[in-house]
Amino acid sequence: MVTCPYCKNQLEDGFIFCDSCGARIDSINAPLPPITRGEVQASISATPPKFLVTIAGQKTKTYTLTKDKITIGRADDNDIIVSLEIVSRHHATLEKTPAGYEIVVSPDATNGFICQGSLVTQRRLLRDGDDLRIDSVTPGMMVGFSYQAPSQAIARGGLTCAKCGTTAPAGAVFCNQCGASLSPAPSRPGAPEEQAPSPQAAAKIGTRPPAPSTPRLVVQPANVPLSFPPGKTEVIAGHKDPGSNNFPEVDLSPYMTDKGGISRRHAKFSLRDDHWQIEDLNSINFTFLNKQKLQPGQLYPLNNGDEIRLGQVTMTFFTS
């Protein structure tokens, strides 16, 4: 155990930054103290929840929840409009309570809401990370939803640092490996922002401006980063097989399990118009994006922080 020099919080061995105040543990003469835990927690509490809507083959839409009642449905008078036949005109309502938002399904809704694998019959309090969906008997006709509540996420732990991909323990408000805030709160006061030099400045020092950051997958829950090869616009993920001369750019062989193996060519990541997309290559054990099964041969847009599962291997996609 080590002690934070600022807030005196007891920390586990291996921490580089204090997960309570954000101070670097080995910084004895830091120029400025970090922002306080209370300031960060106040910012987290003030951050409204978000509701993500994903229709297969389309880009995920994010809605910030602030109103006391938010309607979901196919009709144009809803706050969250989902233009699919399987969605009723006025399908459900999100209602704000002291404990968070509850989802209330309309009795007139044709298809039910599934939350964490269970049918929502009346109302249900949503928790951070809850996944919901509306299914249909029509193949490929499905819409998925995800609820994100920063205040709940900090309390239960398991937040993934957007900067380095480390999973934080319960109660942490700063990443213990890179010091980044786990909330939308600003970084420590006075901390300089990392900026790439301008082309003119780079020319003066004889170097080229840095290329855009290389995407990476972080295997969960081990927090193992797997970076894409620099400069490549198409990257195959799978397991290597020297016998067939198959060597994918992202080799997931060390993370395969007996329950759900990885195909030799399981999925392809493609960079198109400065945006990364994922495609299932007709794998045996399927590809999932934010818990939604992908149709083989179709391109699906990726966003920073998306959850990807190949077989039984779960990863988080990062572009920064």
Side-chain angles (χ1 to χ4, degrees):
M1 299 288 286
V2 294
T3 301
C4 173
Y6 280 110
C7 68
K8 309 305 179 185
N9 186 37
Q10 295 295 307
L11 307 168
E12 296 181 13
D13 293 336
F15 281 19
I16 301 173
F17 290 84
C18 176
D19 64 3
S20 182
C21 73
R24 188 176 178 94
I25 298 169
D26 59 2
S27 294
I28 300 175
N29 297 314
L32 287 172
I35 56 178
T36 67
R37 179 185 181 86
E39 290 173 323
V40 177
Q41 288 180 320
S43 174
I44 294 169
S45 300
T47 303
K50 295 183 184 298
F51 202 62
L52 282 65
V53 181
T54 305
I55 299 175
Q58 298 184 22
K59 186 176 181 179
T60 298
K61 295 182 179 179
T62 302
Y63 298 86
T64 300
L65 309 181
T66 56
K67 296 171 59 177
D68 291 338
K69 285 191 176 182
I70 299 162
T71 57
I72 304 170
R74 194 177 71 249
D76 292 339
D77 59 350
N78 287 284
D79 299 299
I80 298 177
I81 302 172
V82 185
S83 302
L84 278 182
E85 294 179 2
I86 63 172
V87 180
S88 300
R89 288 180 55 80
H90 299 95
H91 203 111
T93 304
L94 297 173
E95 297 185 1
K96 184 187 288 186
T97 73
Y101 276 90
E102 292 184 343
I103 185 165
V104 183
V105 180
S106 169
D108 298 325
T110 304
N111 296 302
F113 251 106
I114 306 295
C115 181
Q116 298 296 100
S118 300
L119 179 66
V120 180
T121 54
Q122 294 181 336
R123 64 172 60 227
R124 174 170 175 152
L125 178 65
L126 295 177
R127 302 291 186 185
D128 176 72
D130 274 356
D131 290 310
L132 307 95
R133 70 178 190 273
I134 300 174
D135 287 334
S136 168
V137 294
T138 305
M141 185 72 72
M142 179 177 65
V143 56
F145 308 86
S146 181
Y147 179 73
Q148 298 178 354
S151 58
Q152 292 180 354
I154 290 290
R156 68 171 172 79
L159 271 182
T160 300
C161 175
K163 185 175 182 180
C164 71
T166 297
T167 299
V173 294
F174 290 95
C175 176
N176 59 57
Q177 294 300 305
C178 73
S181 173
L182 298 174
S183 78
S187 300
R188 296 179 297 282
E193 303 229 355
E194 295 182 5
Q195 297 180 343
S198 65
Q200 294 83 0
K204 289 182 180 179
I205 60 176
T207 61
R208 297 177 61 188
S213 57
T214 302
R216 67 190 185 282
L217 298 169
V218 178
V219 180
Q220 305 295 347
N223 288 323
V224 178
L226 302 173
S227 296
F228 288 9
K232 297 209 68 171
T233 58
E234 287 194 352
V235 174
I236 301 296
H239 79 84
K240 68 178 180 181
D241 181 15
S244 61
N245 198 32
N246 184 75
F247 297 93
E249 287 84 2
V250 177
D251 179 25
L252 298 173
S253 302
Y255 314 104
M256 292 172 57
T257 64
D258 294 334
K259 286 185 177 181
I262 305 294
S263 299
R264 286 176 293 183
R265 293 173 56 86
H266 197 111
K268 180 169 70 174
F269 297 84
S270 303
L271 180 63
R272 298 191 178 185
D273 298 325
D274 295 326
H275 289 88
W276 283 94
Q277 303 178 69
I278 186 172
E279 173 187 355
D280 180 78
L281 299 178
N282 203 27
S283 62
I284 296 176
N285 291 303
F286 314 118
T287 300
F288 297 81
L289 175 60
N290 295 322
K291 296 182 173 58
Q292 305 299 312
K293 181 180 173 183
L294 306 188
Q295 296 297 316
Q298 294 187 21
L299 291 171
Y300 295 81
L302 290 171
N303 296 301
N304 191 52
D306 276 351
E307 179 187 281
I308 297 172
R309 178 159 64 87
L310 308 187
Q312 293 298 319
V313 179
T314 300
M315 300 165 288
T316 307
F317 176 79
F318 290 104
T319 56
S320 60

